[in-house]
Amino acid sequence: MKILLLDKNHPLITEQLLEKNYTLEEDFSSSYDEVCLKISNYDGIIIRSRIPLDKNFLEKGKNLKFIARVGAGMENIDVEVAEKLGIQLINSPEGNRDSVAEHVIGMLLFLMHRLFIASQEVKNGIWKREENRGDELLGKTVGLIGYGNMGKATAKRFSGFGCKVIFHDIISGLSDEYATQVSLEELKKTADILSLHIPITPETHYLIDENFISEMDKEFYFVNTARGKNVETKSLVKAIKSGKIKGACLDVLEYEKSSFENLETENEDLQYLLSSEKVIVTPHIAGWTHQSKEKLAQVIVDKILAS
């Protein structure tokens, strides 16, 4: 079986597949059009996010048996077309769920205990104690939207902080020892913290908008480690300014490039998020640890070998 690797990943992918007598070719620089010209020569592709696998691309891949995405989200692939063409889709959300869960907790602690602000003040000779009084996680009700690999790992961490964890998911019967499944209405009524763990689909695009925020009964903290376009930024900014959102932790932004490598747009709302003391922003790294890089790759190899 001949496999094309389109993005750099952990070397164990190459090492282990070569040991199993797969033929591998690495191409980390060719453009979309250049790859389209040769994709029919391969039985499989291993990707991250560099090149979109749209209808045109997939139809040219006449011999493709599988597409393996090192990561969780599949929005860079035309899933419907791939399934119609009989191409198996493989991803590895198991590989970075722990990294994402720790990142969620870390950002919230940073924000709620004013750690960045207080540290910067002390380094600049400013010693403020009362002004930097924090807010505890203990006793808070955490509402998760989405209860797949990321949601479950995050719930486990929150439960260790003495939080009540509830979640809403389109699949029923998912309650476990760490969290209780509730209706979206119940979540909006009781959550002190809202954290997203969902893919980007037509149904979840701008899920968090002005209407959704207004339906939250309490002032709340907001966390997004899912996808930037799950959130309408202008509504988020408006809610932070009004105090309805007490603070936001954002690892993803609406204005990211589809490859997640940088921002493609700058505007007034983005500048507010980047300058506000009520907002923690990181560059789409919630799932990026040294450990997750290896685990993501191992999951992909295991699934390819099992397919």
Side-chain angles (χ1 to χ4, degrees):
M1 183 172 285
K2 191 174 183 181
I3 302 174
L4 177 64
L5 290 78
L6 288 174
D7 297 272
K8 293 181 180 180
N9 287 293
H10 196 283
L12 73 79
I13 292 179
T14 301
E15 293 166 3
Q16 294 186 19
L17 291 179
L18 285 175
E19 288 176 0
K20 297 297 183 179
N21 297 317
Y22 285 79
T23 300
L24 307 179
E25 180 182 325
E26 296 178 344
D27 185 345
F28 305 145
S29 60
S30 290
S31 67
Y32 169 90
D33 289 333
E34 289 169 335
V35 177
C36 278
L37 290 174
K38 64 177 183 178
I39 194 58
S40 62
N41 298 323
Y42 301 93
D43 302 292
I45 312 174
I46 300 176
I47 64 163
R48 287 197 65 87
S49 305
R50 186 172 70 86
I51 290 180
L53 307 191
D54 57 13
K55 183 175 185 289
N56 173 65
F57 184 101
L58 296 173
E59 289 180 343
K60 291 182 184 301
K62 297 178 181 179
N63 295 307
L64 284 177
K65 297 176 179 62
F66 74 84
I67 297 168
R69 202 256 160 170
V70 184
M74 304 290 273
E75 67 270 19
N76 216 39
I77 305 167
D78 192 324
V79 173
E80 185 177 349
V81 170
E83 290 175 345
K84 286 181 180 178
L85 293 173
I87 302 171
Q88 181 184 6
L89 299 178
I90 300 169
N91 65 343
S92 53
E94 305 92 336
N96 62 353
R97 59 190 174 191
D98 296 312
S99 176
V100 170
E102 290 188 10
H103 199 90
V104 169
I105 299 295
M107 285 199 297
L108 268 174
L109 291 174
F110 222 54
L111 178 72
M112 295 172 67
H113 287 266
R114 297 178 61 84
L115 299 181
F116 180 76
I117 297 167
S119 176
Q120 289 299 106
E121 288 177 349
V122 172
K123 288 180 178 181
N124 286 289
I126 301 168
W127 191 271
K128 293 182 179 180
R129 297 185 68 215
E130 184 58 38
E131 294 88 343
N132 285 311
R133 191 178 289 274
D135 191 10
E136 296 180 6
L137 278 173
L138 179 66
K140 298 285 194 298
T141 296
V142 179
L144 309 177
I145 300 183
Y147 207 62
N149 282 281
M150 311 304 174
K152 291 175 183 177
T154 302
K156 182 177 181 179
R157 270 69 176 184
F158 273 120
S159 68
F161 279 85
C163 298
K164 176 183 178 182
V165 188
I166 59 177
F167 69 90
H168 176 72
D169 196 285
I170 57 174
I171 299 173
S172 61
L174 298 179
S175 294
D176 58 23
E177 61 187 302
Y178 303 115
T180 302
Q181 189 160 9
V182 299
S183 66
L184 191 56
E185 291 70 27
E186 178 66 18
L187 186 147
K188 291 177 180 178
K189 182 178 179 181
T190 59
D192 300 296
I193 297 167
L194 176 65
S195 184
L196 300 188
H197 301 277
I198 51 179
I200 186 68
T201 67
E203 291 74 29
T204 63
H205 186 270
Y206 284 173
L207 175 67
I208 308 302
D209 58 10
E210 186 170 5
N211 183 61
F212 187 105
I213 294 168
S214 70
E215 291 175 349
M216 295 286 289
D217 278 13
K218 300 179 181 179
E219 295 177 355
F220 65 99
Y221 294 100
F222 178 68
V223 187
N224 189 13
T225 55
R227 288 292 183 261
K229 289 183 172 59
N230 293 138
V231 181
E232 186 179 50
T233 304
K234 65 179 181 180
S235 297
L236 174 66
V237 168
K238 182 179 179 181
I240 295 170
K241 288 179 177 179
S242 72
K244 183 61 180 285
I245 292 180
K246 298 164 75 172
C249 301
L250 308 173
D251 182 55
V252 291
L253 294 164
E254 179 182 351
Y255 310 114
E256 286 180 77
K257 292 182 177 180
S258 59
S259 63
F260 310 137
E261 291 301 314
N262 211 322
L263 298 173
E264 62 181 0
T265 304
E266 292 191 17
N267 57 37
E268 186 176 335
D269 290 329
L270 175 61
Q271 288 307 310
Y272 175 82
L273 295 177
L274 298 180
S275 62
S276 174
E277 289 189 348
K278 295 182 179 180
V279 182
I280 300 293
V281 184
T282 53
H284 205 130
I285 57 168
W288 284 53
T289 59
H290 297 293
Q291 294 80 8
S292 72
K293 184 176 183 180
E294 181 173 351
K295 287 189 283 187
L296 284 165
Q298 190 63 63
V299 170
I300 284 295
V301 169
D302 292 345
K303 289 184 177 181
I304 289 173
L305 295 179
S307 64

